[in-house]
Every structure is written in C-alpha cells, then in structure tokens.
Amino acid sequence: MAASGKMTSFRLPPLPTISEIIKLYNLRAQKQLSQNFLLDLRLTDKIIRQAGNLRNACVCEVGPGPGGLTRSILNAGAADLLVVEKDSRFIPGLKLLSEAAPGRVRIVHGDVLAYGMNTAFPAHIAKKWEEEPPNLHIIGNLPFSVSTPLIIKWLEEMASRSGPFVYGRTRLTLTFQKEVAERLTASTGSRQRSRLSIMAQYLSTVNTCFTIPGRAFVPKPDVDVGVVHFTPLVQPHIQQPFKLVEKVVRNVFQFRRKHCHKGLEMLFPEAQRLRMTEELLRSADVDPTLRPPDISISQFRALADAYSRLCREDHTLFSYDFREELRQKRQSHRQVKRQRR
Ligand code: SAM
C-alpha cells in the first residue's frame, strides 16, 4: 500500500484484549523460545512513541507475537505494517488484526534473521543517505537470543547500506536485555564499554529510551529490559569496511583488563608481532597502556586506519588468524613428539 495515502482515522475498531487473544488462540508463551509478552497497551504506546512520528509510515515489526506492540503501531498511524513472526501459532491472531486494519498489515511467517528486507517496501519511500531518514521504521520486542545477533547483522547492513538501509537511514527501535542495552550505549571509560558499544556507536546515534521492569512482561523474565533507539549516522565515525573494524575491535577487547597492545598484538603473525604492534600504535598515536574500555571511538578510527594501511602493504595480513597459527603450532609439536617415540 502507498505510504503517502491520506487517512482520516487510524484507531482500530474494538477488538478482544491481548489477554483474550492469548486465551482464544491458546497462545501460552513458550519458555524455550523466550517468549515474554507485553499486555499493557499504555506501555506498548510508550515504546512506539520512542520510534518517532509513525503517521503514514512504513514499519517492519519483528516478532509481533499476540500483537500488543502491533496495535500501538497501527493506532499511531502506520500505513504499511509488515510483521515478521516465526511462530505459526500467532498467525490467526495477526490475521484478525489485519482484518481490523484493512490494507495496512502484511504478515510474513518466517525467521527475521533470514528475511531480506531490501525489497520489502516500495522503492519510492527511499531517501538519499545524506537526507533525513526515510519514513520507515523497524520496531521489535524480540527474544534476547535473537536481538543481539540481529543488531549485529543490521549494523553490518547499515555499514554497507543494504537490507533495510537500501531505503536510507532507517531508524530502529528495539528491546534488549538491560545489560546489553547498557553495553550498546556505554561511553568511553564506563564499566559496560564493550565491542558492541564501538560497533553500534561508530555507525549510529544510539540512545536508551527507558527501562521496562521485568514484571511488566507475561511471563516475567529474570531481567529488566531496555528500549534502544538507533539512527544511522550520515558519516560513520570510522570509514573502513565493517569486517576490518570488527577485527580490530574484537582483538582489542579480547583482553579487556589488560593494556590494549596485548590484544592488538594478536592481529600479527608471531614472528613480526612486537614490531608491527609498535608500528600500528605509533602510526595511530594511541598509548599502548590504555585499557580497552578507555579507548575512544576516534582512537579506534586511528587504529582501524593504521591497520588498513598495514593490510594494504601486506595482502596476507587481513586473513591472518592467531588461533589458526596456534593450532598449527600445536599440531606440529604433537607430530614431533610422536616421531620421537
Ligand atoms: N512483540 C510481542 C510482545 O511484545 O508482546 C511478543 C514478544 S516475544 C518476546 C518475541 C516474539 O518474537 C515471539 O512472538 C516469538 O515467536 C518471535 N520470534 C522469536 N524469534 C523470532 C525470529 N527469529 N523471527 C521472527 N520472530 C521471532
């Protein structure tokens, strides 16, 4: 449906409550799928407000389940709502909702991790990357086991402007376990600063909007939940390929309590390790005794740029994996031992 179509009323007609839907379709939450539902429509409205103005918007909701957030998205005026739900038990309830909002809801029964979003919406909604974000939003309350791999996939797509980012700087409003939300937004020097903080913040503006206590969900999870909003940056803070940035950041944080040179050393083959680490840190002008959480995004940029220069000089460097070198070394030790026996 055209996202720009005029609409007079967005409100849904009277429907069974979410609790009634759950009873009607026998939708008991499955613990093994980490299903925790939001039944309070004031709370789902509050989450939706964090996404911004949804009037006439295109929205992809991931994991709609019994449809609490879905109703709030429709009541906020979304014109084209695509829901992606893995569990077939929820499809009849979602169809009921779709009948109550004719022409505004499309249902995909599938796994969002495998779903390609690059052709899911009409091409005319696309904006140039440098312009304001498109009127397209991704919203979801997903299980924690899905939201973390999914945000990593979406950050990679943000970097390459693929997937939902073929339409421009698509905004995301997602829930995470509170600790993960804190890591995503952690500033330089904070206890929660981690790999995820750098990967999210070099590509986007990330804000934790508010925390939802675990008791607000049915059934109650063991943890509280953070609602996090992402807006892709026009100009990422680091202008290197995602995989290169990821490799540098992963190496730095593998020894998070040690000086940063320790993790960086593992980017290089043993024979050249000390010399090249020194060269990398000198060229990036980064203090080797900094601890990983104390490294700023601009220092990560300098490290990624310096590592990229070294990779251009030695084409085998980027594919070097210290674990593989270690494995080969152990294997040849074992062989020598066997031959001696
Ligand atoms: N949005 C609903 C709410 O807030 O009440 C349900 C939230 S529940 C935590 C997560 C939902 O995501 C469930 O409906 C579950 O079946 C669905 N889900 C889990 N993994 C999924 C995946 N890989 N792709 C799509 N949906 C998924």
Side-chain angles (χ1 to χ4, degrees):
M1 115 161 337
S4 55
K6 267 200 185 146
M7 257 186 262
T8 43
S9 168
F10 300 120
R11 304 298 300 183
L12 292 166
L15 284 164
T17 64
I18 297 294
S19 303
E20 284 163 352
I21 291 277
I22 290 173
K23 278 200 202 106
L24 192 65
Y25 295 106
N26 195 19
L27 302 176
R28 243 174 316 113
Q30 293 198 352
K31 219 173 170 151
Q32 68 274 28
L33 289 181
S34 313
Q35 290 175 340
N36 309 100
F37 304 139
L38 286 166
L39 309 186
D40 178 352
L41 291 189
R42 279 167 312 180
L43 185 55
T44 53
D45 281 350
K46 186 174 171 190
I47 297 173
I48 294 315
R49 279 197 297 277
Q50 311 308 314
N53 184 359
L54 296 189
R55 186 167 279 249
N56 288 333
C58 291
V59 178
C60 175
E61 188 198 354
V62 290
L69 273 176
T70 322
R71 290 182 187 203
S72 293
I73 295 169
L74 290 167
N75 280 332
D80 182 11
L81 170 59
L82 176 80
V83 296
V84 184
E85 174 55 61
K86 190 176 178 181
D87 185 340
S88 59
R89 295 177 307 140
F90 294 112
I91 304 300
L94 292 168
K95 282 194 176 143
L96 189 77
L97 205 50
S98 140
E99 281 156 22
R104 294 169 66 196
V105 183
R106 292 182 284 144
I107 302 168
V108 172
H109 176 209
D111 183 341
V112 66
L113 285 163
Y115 184 70
M117 227 176 276
N118 48 331
T119 54
F121 293 95
H124 71 80
I125 68 159
K127 293 269 191 221
K128 290 209 177 85
W129 193 261
E130 300 70 29
E131 292 175 2
E132 77 272 26
N135 199 9
L136 167 62
H137 297 259
I138 295 180
I139 299 175
N141 171 30
L142 277 169
F144 308 133
S145 57
V146 179
S147 50
T148 305
L150 192 58
I151 192 61
I152 291 168
K153 171 179 143 80
W154 278 337
L155 288 171
E156 184 162 9
E157 291 181 344
M158 206 183 274
S160 60
R161 303 182 188 180
S162 59
F165 306 99
V166 296
Y167 301 97
R169 294 185 296 121
T170 301
R171 287 160 289 181
L172 317 169
T173 310
L174 303 166
T175 58
F176 294 90
Q177 183 176 340
K178 187 168 169 249
E179 283 69 30
V180 177
E182 285 170 350
R183 272 190 255 145
L184 282 161
T185 54
S187 53
T188 314
S190 72
R191 200 169 47 85
Q192 293 88 350
R193 185 78 156 180
S194 67
R195 184 156 67 108
L196 210 48
S197 329
I198 313 300
M199 298 313 287
Q201 293 170 32
Y202 100 78
L203 287 160
S204 64
T205 305
V206 199
N207 295 309
T208 298
C209 309
F210 63 95
T211 302
I212 310 175
R215 64 172 183 278
F217 294 84
V218 178
K220 175 183 170 304
D222 295 331
V223 291
D224 292 340
V225 169
V227 178
V228 184
H229 184 79
F230 302 79
T231 307
L233 290 165
V234 172
Q235 186 85 287
H237 290 302
I238 306 177
Q239 313 255 319
Q240 295 292 346
F242 184 87
K243 291 281 185 220
L244 185 143
V245 181
E246 196 182 37
K247 190 171 182 192
V248 171
V249 175
R250 185 171 5 100
N251 273 267
V252 167
F253 275 100
Q254 72 184 317
F255 305 119
R256 65 172 284 126
R257 287 173 205 280
K258 301 238 166 86
H259 293 158
C260 68
H261 70 84
K262 202 77 200 138
L264 286 166
E265 282 173 13
M266 302 319 230
L267 287 169
F268 306 107
E270 203 175 351
Q272 310 141 35
R273 195 160 277 165
L274 294 182
R275 180 181 60 78
M276 291 197 76
T277 309
E278 233 181 83
E279 192 180 331
L280 175 87
L281 284 157
R282 199 174 341 99
S283 149
D285 194 21
V286 169
D287 176 354
T289 64
L290 275 178
R291 312 243 175 218
D294 296 326
I295 303 177
S296 67
I297 298 262
S298 59
Q299 287 169 319
F300 270 109
R301 175 179 58 225
L303 288 168
D305 288 347
Y307 179 59
S308 165
R309 279 194 294 278
L310 293 172
C311 289
R312 278 201 301 275
E313 284 163 20
D314 174 353
H315 292 284
T316 63
L317 189 56
F318 186 68
S319 58
Y320 169 72
D321 177 357
F322 76 91
R323 286 185 189 85
E324 181 59 21
E325 188 178 17
L326 210 62
R327 198 184 60 76
Q328 283 175 7
K329 229 165 117 178
R330 283 195 189 126
Q331 206 171 17
S332 65
H333 272 309
R334 275 199 296 271
Q335 261 169 7
V336 171
K337 260 188 178 170
R338 253 185 254 125
Q339 281 161 2
R340 280 193 191 141
R341 270 191 224 134

